[in-house]
Amino acid sequence: MTPGTVVRDPLVPGTVNFRAVDLGTATTPAGERLRDGVLFRSDALHALGDAGRGALRDLGVVRVIDLRSDEEVAEAPDDITGT
């Protein structure tokens, strides 16, 4: 992927529903428009494997916020080590 390329719904192996969040016309407090392709949402990341982790790296993902319950995380821990 070339720098500056925006991918709306990238293919991330090991996920079923990985997609970009549509920010629409959202703006910062200073009135600047938020960039597309920087916020994503997904189903659980427990089955990523090497290819899925590589896809997250290629997209520049640097932080994962897991909103699942402790029980859900214990049942299927994220496979993001080394991402």
Side-chain angles (χ1 to χ4, degrees):
M1 182 180 320
T2 58
T5 300
V6 174
V7 179
R8 290 298 309 157
D9 294 317
L11 176 62
V12 176
T15 67
V16 176
N17 199 15
F18 191 94
R19 63 199 182 279
V21 174
D22 182 7
L23 298 172
T25 58
T27 58
T28 68
E32 297 172 334
R33 189 173 179 283
L34 297 175
R35 293 181 296 145
D36 288 329
V38 296
L39 183 62
F40 300 95
R41 62 178 293 169
S42 181
D43 59 332
L45 302 176
H46 65 279
L48 286 173
D50 291 338
R53 287 189 301 274
L56 293 181
R57 269 193 306 277
D58 290 348
L59 287 167
V61 173
V62 295
R63 179 166 291 126
V64 173
I65 301 169
D66 193 338
L67 300 177
R68 298 178 297 157
S69 70
D70 291 341
E71 292 80 15
E72 290 172 311
V73 172
E75 185 176 312
D78 287 338
D79 183 19
I80 57 174
T81 302
T83 303

Coordinates of all heavy atoms in Angstrom, one line a residue:
M1 N 0.8 -1.2 0.0 CA 0.0 0.0 0.0 C 0.9 1.2 0.0 O 1.8 1.3 0.8 CB -0.9 0.0 1.2 CG -1.8 1.1 1.3 SD -2.9 1.1 2.8 CE -3.3 -0.6 2.9
T2 N 0.6 2.2 -0.8 CA 1.4 3.4 -0.9 C 0.9 4.4 0.2 O -0.2 4.4 0.5 CB 1.3 4.1 -2.3 OG1 -0.1 4.4 -2.5 CG2 1.8 3.2 -3.4
P3 N 1.9 5.2 0.7 CA 1.5 6.2 1.7 C 0.4 7.1 1.2 O 0.4 7.5 0.1 CB 2.8 7.0 1.9 CG 3.9 6.0 1.5 CD 3.3 5.2 0.4
G4 N -0.5 7.4 2.1 CA -1.7 8.2 1.7 C -2.8 7.5 1.1 O -3.9 8.1 0.9
T5 N -2.7 6.2 0.8 CA -3.8 5.5 0.2 C -4.9 5.2 1.3 O -4.5 4.8 2.4 CB -3.3 4.1 -0.3 OG1 -2.3 4.4 -1.3 CG2 -4.4 3.3 -0.9
V6 N -6.1 5.5 1.0 CA -7.2 5.2 1.9 C -7.9 4.0 1.4 O -8.3 3.9 0.3 CB -8.2 6.4 1.9 CG1 -9.4 6.1 2.8 CG2 -7.5 7.7 2.5
V7 N -8.0 3.0 2.3 CA -8.7 1.8 2.0 C -10.0 1.8 2.8 O -10.0 1.8 4.1 CB -7.8 0.5 2.4 CG1 -8.6 -0.7 2.1 CG2 -6.5 0.6 1.7
R8 N -11.1 1.8 2.2 CA -12.4 1.8 2.8 C -12.7 0.6 3.6 O -13.1 0.6 4.8 CB -13.6 2.1 1.8 CG -13.5 3.5 1.3 CD -13.7 4.6 2.3 NE -14.9 4.4 3.1 CZ -15.0 4.9 4.3 NH1 -14.1 5.6 4.9 NH2 -16.1 4.6 5.1
D9 N -12.7 -0.6 3.0 CA -13.0 -1.8 3.6 C -11.9 -2.9 3.3 O -12.1 -3.7 2.4 CB -14.4 -2.3 3.2 CG -15.5 -1.4 3.7 OD1 -15.4 -1.0 4.9 OD2 -16.4 -1.1 3.0
P10 N -10.8 -2.8 4.0 CA -9.6 -3.6 3.6 C -9.9 -5.1 4.0 O -10.7 -5.4 4.9 CB -8.5 -3.1 4.5 CG -9.2 -2.4 5.6 CD -10.5 -1.9 5.1
L11 N -9.3 -6.0 3.3 CA -9.4 -7.4 3.6 C -8.3 -7.7 4.7 O -7.1 -7.5 4.5 CB -9.1 -8.2 2.4 CG -9.1 -9.8 2.6 CD1 -10.4 -10.2 3.1 CD2 -8.7 -10.4 1.3
V12 N -8.8 -8.2 5.8 CA -7.9 -8.6 6.9 C -8.1 -10.0 7.2 O -9.2 -10.4 7.8 CB -8.1 -7.7 8.2 CG1 -7.2 -8.2 9.3 CG2 -7.8 -6.2 7.9
P13 N -7.2 -10.9 6.8 CA -7.4 -12.4 7.0 C -7.7 -12.7 8.5 O -7.0 -12.1 9.4 CB -6.1 -13.0 6.5 CG -5.6 -12.0 5.5 CD -6.0 -10.7 6.0
G14 N -8.6 -13.6 8.7 CA -8.9 -14.0 10.1 C -10.1 -13.2 10.7 O -10.5 -13.5 11.8
T15 N -10.6 -12.2 10.0 CA -11.7 -11.4 10.4 C -12.9 -11.6 9.5 O -12.7 -12.0 8.3 CB -11.4 -9.9 10.5 OG1 -11.2 -9.3 9.2 CG2 -10.2 -9.6 11.4
V16 N -14.1 -11.3 9.9 CA -15.2 -11.5 9.1 C -15.8 -10.1 8.7 O -16.4 -9.9 7.6 CB -16.3 -12.3 9.8 CG1 -17.6 -12.4 9.0 CG2 -15.8 -13.7 10.1
N17 N -15.7 -9.2 9.6 CA -16.4 -7.9 9.4 C -15.5 -6.7 9.7 O -15.9 -5.7 10.3 CB -17.6 -7.9 10.4 CG -18.6 -6.9 10.0 OD1 -18.6 -6.4 8.9 ND2 -19.5 -6.6 11.0
F18 N -14.2 -6.7 9.2 CA -13.3 -5.6 9.4 C -13.7 -4.5 8.4 O -13.8 -4.8 7.2 CB -11.9 -6.1 9.1 CG -10.8 -5.1 9.6 CD1 -10.3 -5.1 10.8 CD2 -10.4 -4.1 8.7 CE1 -9.3 -4.2 11.2 CE2 -9.5 -3.1 9.1 CZ -8.9 -3.2 10.4
R19 N -13.8 -3.3 8.8 CA -14.2 -2.2 7.9 C -13.9 -0.9 8.5 O -13.7 -0.7 9.7 CB -15.7 -2.3 7.6 CG -16.6 -2.0 8.9 CD -18.0 -2.5 8.6 NE -18.9 -2.3 9.8 CZ -18.9 -3.1 10.8 NH1 -18.1 -4.1 11.0 NH2 -19.8 -2.8 11.8
A20 N -13.8 0.1 7.6 CA -13.5 1.5 8.0 C -14.7 2.1 8.7 O -15.9 1.8 8.2 CB -13.1 2.3 6.8
V21 N -14.5 2.9 9.6 CA -15.7 3.6 10.3 C -15.9 4.9 9.4 O -15.0 5.6 9.1 CB -15.3 4.0 11.7 CG1 -16.4 4.9 12.3 CG2 -15.1 2.8 12.6
D22 N -17.1 5.1 9.0 CA -17.5 6.2 8.2 C -17.6 7.4 9.1 O -18.5 7.5 9.9 CB -18.8 6.0 7.5 CG -19.2 7.2 6.6 OD1 -18.4 8.1 6.4 OD2 -20.3 7.1 6.0
L23 N -16.6 8.4 8.9 CA -16.6 9.5 9.8 C -17.5 10.7 9.2 O -17.6 11.7 9.8 CB -15.2 10.0 10.0 CG -14.3 9.0 10.7 CD1 -12.8 9.5 10.7 CD2 -14.7 8.8 12.1
G24 N -18.0 10.5 8.0 CA -18.8 11.4 7.4 C -18.2 12.8 7.3 O -17.1 13.0 6.8
T25 N -18.9 13.8 7.9 CA -18.4 15.1 7.9 C -17.9 15.5 9.3 O -17.8 16.7 9.6 CB -19.5 16.1 7.5 OG1 -20.6 15.9 8.4 CG2 -20.0 15.8 6.1
A26 N -17.5 14.5 10.1 CA -16.9 14.8 11.4 C -15.7 15.8 11.4 O -14.9 15.7 10.5 CB -16.6 13.5 12.1
T27 N -15.7 16.7 12.3 CA -14.6 17.6 12.3 C -14.0 17.7 13.7 O -14.6 17.3 14.7 CB -15.0 19.0 11.9 OG1 -16.1 19.5 12.8 CG2 -15.5 19.1 10.5
T28 N -12.7 18.2 13.8 CA -12.1 18.4 15.1 C -12.6 19.7 15.7 O -13.3 20.5 15.0 CB -10.6 18.6 14.9 OG1 -10.3 19.8 14.2 CG2 -10.0 17.4 14.1
P29 N -12.3 20.0 16.9 CA -12.7 21.2 17.6 C -12.2 22.5 16.8 O -12.9 23.5 16.8 CB -12.1 21.2 19.0 CG -12.1 19.7 19.3 CD -11.7 19.1 17.9
A30 N -11.1 22.3 16.1 CA -10.6 23.4 15.3 C -11.3 23.5 13.9 O -10.9 24.4 13.1 CB -9.1 23.2 15.1
G31 N -12.2 22.6 13.6 CA -13.0 22.7 12.4 C -12.3 21.9 11.2 O -12.8 22.0 10.1
E32 N -11.3 21.2 11.5 CA -10.6 20.4 10.4 C -11.4 19.1 10.3 O -11.8 18.5 11.2 CB -9.2 20.1 10.8 CG -8.3 21.4 10.9 CD -6.9 21.1 11.4 OE1 -6.8 20.1 12.2 OE2 -6.0 21.9 11.1
R33 N -11.5 18.6 9.0 CA -12.2 17.4 8.7 C -11.3 16.2 9.1 O -10.1 16.2 8.9 CB -12.5 17.3 7.2 CG -13.4 16.1 6.9 CD -13.8 16.2 5.4 NE -14.7 15.1 5.1 CZ -14.3 13.8 4.9 NH1 -13.0 13.5 5.0 NH2 -15.1 12.9 4.7
L34 N -11.9 15.2 9.8 CA -11.2 14.0 10.2 C -10.8 13.2 8.9 O -11.6 13.1 8.0 CB -12.0 13.2 11.1 CG -12.3 13.8 12.5 CD1 -13.2 13.0 13.3 CD2 -11.0 14.1 13.2
R35 N -9.6 12.6 8.9 CA -9.2 11.8 7.7 C -9.9 10.5 7.7 O -10.2 9.8 8.7 CB -7.7 11.5 7.8 CG -6.8 12.7 7.7 CD -5.4 12.4 7.7 NE -5.1 11.9 9.1 CZ -4.2 10.9 9.3 NH1 -3.5 10.4 8.3 NH2 -4.0 10.5 10.5
D36 N -10.2 10.1 6.4 CA -10.8 8.7 6.2 C -9.7 7.7 6.3 O -8.5 8.0 6.1 CB -11.4 8.6 4.8 CG -12.7 9.4 4.7 OD1 -13.4 9.5 5.7 OD2 -13.0 9.9 3.6
G37 N -10.1 6.5 6.6 CA -9.1 5.3 6.6 C -8.2 5.3 7.8 O -7.1 4.7 7.7
V38 N -8.6 5.9 8.9 CA -7.7 5.9 10.1 C -8.4 5.2 11.3 O -7.7 5.0 12.3 CB -7.2 7.3 10.5 CG1 -6.3 7.9 9.4 CG2 -8.3 8.2 10.8
L39 N -9.7 5.0 11.2 CA -10.4 4.3 12.3 C -11.2 3.2 11.7 O -11.9 3.3 10.7 CB -11.4 5.3 12.9 CG -12.2 4.8 14.1 CD1 -11.3 4.4 15.3 CD2 -13.2 5.9 14.6
F40 N -11.0 2.0 12.3 CA -11.6 0.8 11.8 C -12.3 0.1 12.9 O -12.0 0.3 14.1 CB -10.5 -0.2 11.2 CG -9.7 0.4 10.1 CD1 -8.5 1.0 10.4 CD2 -10.2 0.3 8.8 CE1 -7.7 1.5 9.3 CE2 -9.4 0.9 7.8 CZ -8.2 1.5 8.0
R41 N -13.3 -0.8 12.6 CA -14.0 -1.6 13.5 C -14.0 -3.0 13.0 O -13.9 -3.3 11.8 CB -15.4 -1.1 13.8 CG -16.3 -1.1 12.6 CD -17.7 -0.6 13.0 NE -18.3 -1.6 13.8 CZ -19.4 -1.4 14.5 NH1 -20.1 -0.2 14.3 NH2 -20.0 -2.3 15.2
S42 N -14.2 -4.0 13.9 CA -14.1 -5.4 13.5 C -14.8 -6.3 14.4 O -15.1 -5.9 15.6 CB -12.6 -5.8 13.3 OG -12.5 -7.1 12.9
D43 N -15.0 -7.5 14.0 CA -15.4 -8.6 14.9 C -14.1 -8.9 15.7 O -13.1 -8.3 15.6 CB -15.9 -9.8 14.1 CG -14.9 -10.4 13.1 OD1 -14.1 -9.6 12.6 OD2 -15.0 -11.6 12.8
A44 N -14.2 -10.0 16.5 CA -13.1 -10.4 17.3 C -11.8 -10.6 16.5 O -11.9 -11.1 15.4 CB -13.5 -11.6 18.1
L45 N -10.7 -10.4 17.1 CA -9.4 -10.5 16.4 C -8.7 -11.8 16.8 O -7.4 -11.8 16.8 CB -8.5 -9.3 16.6 CG -9.2 -7.9 16.1 CD1 -8.3 -6.8 16.5 CD2 -9.5 -8.0 14.7
H46 N -9.4 -12.8 17.2 CA -8.8 -14.0 17.8 C -8.2 -15.0 16.7 O -7.5 -15.9 17.1 CB -9.8 -14.7 18.7 CG -10.9 -15.3 17.9 ND1 -12.0 -14.5 17.6 CD2 -11.2 -16.5 17.5 CE1 -12.9 -15.2 17.0 NE2 -12.4 -16.5 16.9
A47 N -8.5 -14.8 15.5 CA -8.1 -15.7 14.5 C -7.2 -15.1 13.4 O -7.2 -15.5 12.2 CB -9.3 -16.5 13.8
L48 N -6.5 -14.0 13.7 CA -5.7 -13.3 12.7 C -4.7 -14.1 12.0 O -4.6 -14.1 10.8 CB -5.1 -12.0 13.3 CG -6.0 -10.9 13.7 CD1 -5.2 -9.8 14.5 CD2 -6.6 -10.3 12.5
G49 N -3.8 -14.7 12.8 CA -2.7 -15.4 12.2 C -1.7 -14.4 11.6 O -1.9 -13.2 11.7
D50 N -0.6 -14.9 11.0 CA 0.4 -14.1 10.5 C -0.1 -13.1 9.4 O 0.3 -11.9 9.4 CB 1.6 -14.9 9.9 CG 2.4 -15.7 10.9 OD1 2.3 -15.2 12.1 OD2 3.0 -16.7 10.6
A51 N -1.0 -13.6 8.5 CA -1.5 -12.8 7.4 C -2.3 -11.6 7.9 O -2.2 -10.5 7.5 CB -2.3 -13.6 6.4
G52 N -3.2 -11.9 8.9 CA -4.0 -10.9 9.5 C -3.2 -9.8 10.2 O -3.5 -8.6 10.1
R53 N -2.3 -10.3 11.0 CA -1.4 -9.3 11.7 C -0.6 -8.5 10.8 O -0.5 -7.3 11.0 CB -0.5 -10.1 12.7 CG -1.2 -10.6 13.9 CD -0.2 -11.2 15.0 NE 0.6 -12.2 14.5 CZ 0.3 -13.5 14.4 NH1 -0.9 -13.9 14.9 NH2 1.1 -14.4 14.0
G54 N -0.2 -9.1 9.7 CA 0.6 -8.3 8.6 C -0.4 -7.3 8.0 O 0.1 -6.1 7.7
A55 N -1.6 -7.6 7.8 CA -2.6 -6.7 7.2 C -2.8 -5.5 8.1 O -2.9 -4.4 7.7 CB -3.9 -7.4 6.8
L56 N -2.9 -5.8 9.4 CA -3.1 -4.7 10.4 C -1.8 -3.8 10.4 O -2.0 -2.5 10.4 CB -3.3 -5.2 11.8 CG -4.6 -5.9 12.0 CD1 -4.7 -6.4 13.5 CD2 -5.8 -5.0 11.6
R57 N -0.7 -4.4 10.3 CA 0.6 -3.6 10.3 C 0.6 -2.7 9.0 O 0.9 -1.5 9.0 CB 1.8 -4.5 10.3 CG 2.4 -4.8 11.6 CD 3.7 -5.4 11.6 NE 3.8 -6.6 10.7 CZ 3.4 -7.8 11.1 NH1 3.0 -8.0 12.4 NH2 3.5 -8.8 10.3
D58 N 0.2 -3.3 7.9 CA 0.2 -2.6 6.6 C -0.8 -1.4 6.6 O -0.5 -0.4 6.0 CB -0.1 -3.5 5.4 CG 1.0 -4.5 5.1 OD1 2.1 -4.4 5.6 OD2 0.7 -5.5 4.4
L59 N -1.8 -1.5 7.4 CA -2.8 -0.4 7.5 C -2.4 0.6 8.5 O -3.0 1.7 8.6 CB -4.2 -1.0 8.0 CG -5.0 -1.8 6.9 CD1 -6.1 -2.5 7.6 CD2 -5.5 -0.8 5.8
G60 N -1.3 0.3 9.2 CA -0.8 1.3 10.2 C -1.6 1.3 11.5 O -1.5 2.2 12.3
V61 N -2.3 0.2 11.8 CA -3.0 0.1 13.1 C -2.0 0.0 14.2 O -1.1 -0.8 14.2 CB -3.9 -1.2 13.1 CG1 -4.5 -1.4 14.5 CG2 -4.9 -1.1 12.0
V62 N -2.1 0.9 15.1 CA -1.2 1.0 16.3 C -1.9 0.8 17.6 O -1.2 0.7 18.6 CB -0.4 2.4 16.3 CG1 0.5 2.5 15.1 CG2 -1.4 3.5 16.4
R63 N -3.2 0.8 17.6 CA -3.9 0.6 18.9 C -5.2 -0.2 18.6 O -5.9 0.1 17.7 CB -4.3 2.0 19.5 CG -5.0 1.9 20.8 CD -5.1 3.2 21.6 NE -3.7 3.5 22.0 CZ -3.1 4.7 21.8 NH1 -3.6 5.6 21.1 NH2 -1.9 4.9 22.2
V64 N -5.4 -1.1 19.5 CA -6.7 -1.9 19.5 C -7.4 -1.6 20.8 O -6.9 -1.8 21.8 CB -6.4 -3.4 19.3 CG1 -7.7 -4.2 19.4 CG2 -5.7 -3.7 18.0
I65 N -8.7 -1.3 20.6 CA -9.5 -1.1 21.8 C -10.6 -2.2 21.8 O -11.4 -2.2 20.9 CB -10.2 0.3 21.8 CG1 -9.1 1.4 21.7 CG2 -11.2 0.5 22.9 CD1 -9.7 2.8 21.4
D66 N -10.5 -3.1 22.7 CA -11.4 -4.2 22.8 C -12.5 -4.0 23.7 O -12.4 -3.7 24.9 CB -10.6 -5.4 23.3 CG -11.3 -6.7 23.1 OD1 -12.5 -6.7 22.9 OD2 -10.6 -7.8 23.0
L67 N -13.7 -3.9 23.2 CA -14.9 -3.6 23.9 C -15.7 -4.8 24.4 O -16.8 -4.7 25.0 CB -15.9 -2.7 23.1 CG -15.3 -1.4 22.6 CD1 -16.3 -0.6 21.8 CD2 -14.8 -0.5 23.8
R68 N -15.1 -6.0 24.2 CA -15.7 -7.2 24.7 C -15.6 -7.4 26.2 O -14.8 -6.7 26.9 CB -15.1 -8.5 24.1 CG -15.2 -8.5 22.6 CD -14.5 -9.7 21.9 NE -13.1 -9.6 22.2 CZ -12.2 -10.7 22.2 NH1 -12.7 -11.9 22.0 NH2 -11.0 -10.5 22.4
S69 N -16.5 -8.2 26.8 CA -16.5 -8.5 28.2 C -15.2 -9.3 28.6 O -14.6 -9.9 27.7 CB -17.7 -9.2 28.7 OG -17.7 -10.5 28.1
D70 N -14.9 -9.3 29.8 CA -13.8 -10.2 30.3 C -14.0 -11.6 29.9 O -13.0 -12.3 29.5 CB -13.6 -10.0 31.8 CG -13.1 -8.6 32.2 OD1 -12.5 -7.9 31.3 OD2 -13.2 -8.3 33.4
E71 N -15.2 -12.1 30.0 CA -15.5 -13.5 29.7 C -15.3 -13.7 28.2 O -14.7 -14.8 27.8 CB -17.0 -13.8 30.1 CG -17.2 -13.8 31.6 CD -17.4 -12.4 32.2 OE1 -17.7 -11.4 31.4 OE2 -17.3 -12.3 33.4
E72 N -15.7 -12.8 27.4 CA -15.5 -13.0 25.9 C -14.0 -13.0 25.6 O -13.6 -13.8 24.7 CB -16.2 -11.9 25.1 CG -17.7 -12.0 25.2 CD -18.4 -10.8 24.6 OE1 -18.0 -9.6 24.9 OE2 -19.3 -10.9 23.7
V73 N -13.3 -12.1 26.2 CA -11.8 -12.1 26.0 C -11.1 -13.4 26.4 O -10.3 -13.9 25.7 CB -11.2 -10.8 26.7 CG1 -9.7 -10.9 26.6 CG2 -11.7 -9.6 26.1
A74 N -11.6 -13.9 27.6 CA -11.0 -15.1 28.1 C -11.3 -16.3 27.2 O -10.5 -17.2 27.0 CB -11.5 -15.4 29.5
E75 N -12.5 -16.3 26.6 CA -12.9 -17.4 25.7 C -12.2 -17.3 24.3 O -11.8 -18.4 23.8 CB -14.4 -17.3 25.4 CG -15.0 -18.4 24.6 CD -16.5 -18.3 24.5 OE1 -17.2 -18.1 25.5 OE2 -17.0 -18.4 23.4
A76 N -11.9 -16.1 23.8 CA -11.2 -16.0 22.5 C -10.3 -14.8 22.6 O -10.6 -13.7 22.1 CB -12.2 -15.9 21.4
P77 N -9.1 -15.0 23.2 CA -8.1 -13.8 23.3 C -7.7 -13.3 21.9 O -7.6 -14.1 20.9 CB -6.9 -14.4 24.0 CG -7.4 -15.7 24.6 CD -8.5 -16.2 23.8
D78 N -7.5 -12.0 21.8 CA -7.0 -11.4 20.5 C -5.7 -12.1 20.1 O -4.8 -12.4 21.0 CB -6.8 -9.9 20.7 CG -8.2 -9.2 20.7 OD1 -9.2 -9.8 20.2 OD2 -8.2 -8.1 21.2
D79 N -5.5 -12.2 18.8 CA -4.2 -12.7 18.2 C -3.4 -11.6 17.6 O -3.2 -11.5 16.4 CB -4.6 -13.8 17.2 CG -3.3 -14.4 16.6 OD1 -2.2 -14.4 17.2 OD2 -3.4 -15.0 15.5
I80 N -3.1 -10.6 18.4 CA -2.4 -9.4 17.9 C -1.0 -9.2 18.3 O -0.3 -8.2 18.0 CB -3.2 -8.1 18.3 CG1 -3.4 -8.0 19.8 CG2 -4.5 -8.0 17.6 CD1 -4.0 -6.7 20.3
T81 N -0.4 -10.2 19.0 CA 1.0 -10.2 19.4 C 1.9 -10.0 18.2 O 1.7 -10.7 17.2 CB 1.4 -11.4 20.2 OG1 0.5 -11.6 21.3 CG2 2.8 -11.4 20.7
G82 N 2.7 -9.0 18.3 CA 3.7 -8.7 17.2 C 3.1 -7.8 16.1 O 3.7 -7.6 15.1
T83 N 1.9 -7.3 16.3 CA 1.3 -6.4 15.3 C 1.9 -5.0 15.4 O 2.2 -4.5 16.4 CB -0.2 -6.3 15.6 OG1 -0.8 -7.6 15.5 CG2 -0.9 -5.5 14.5

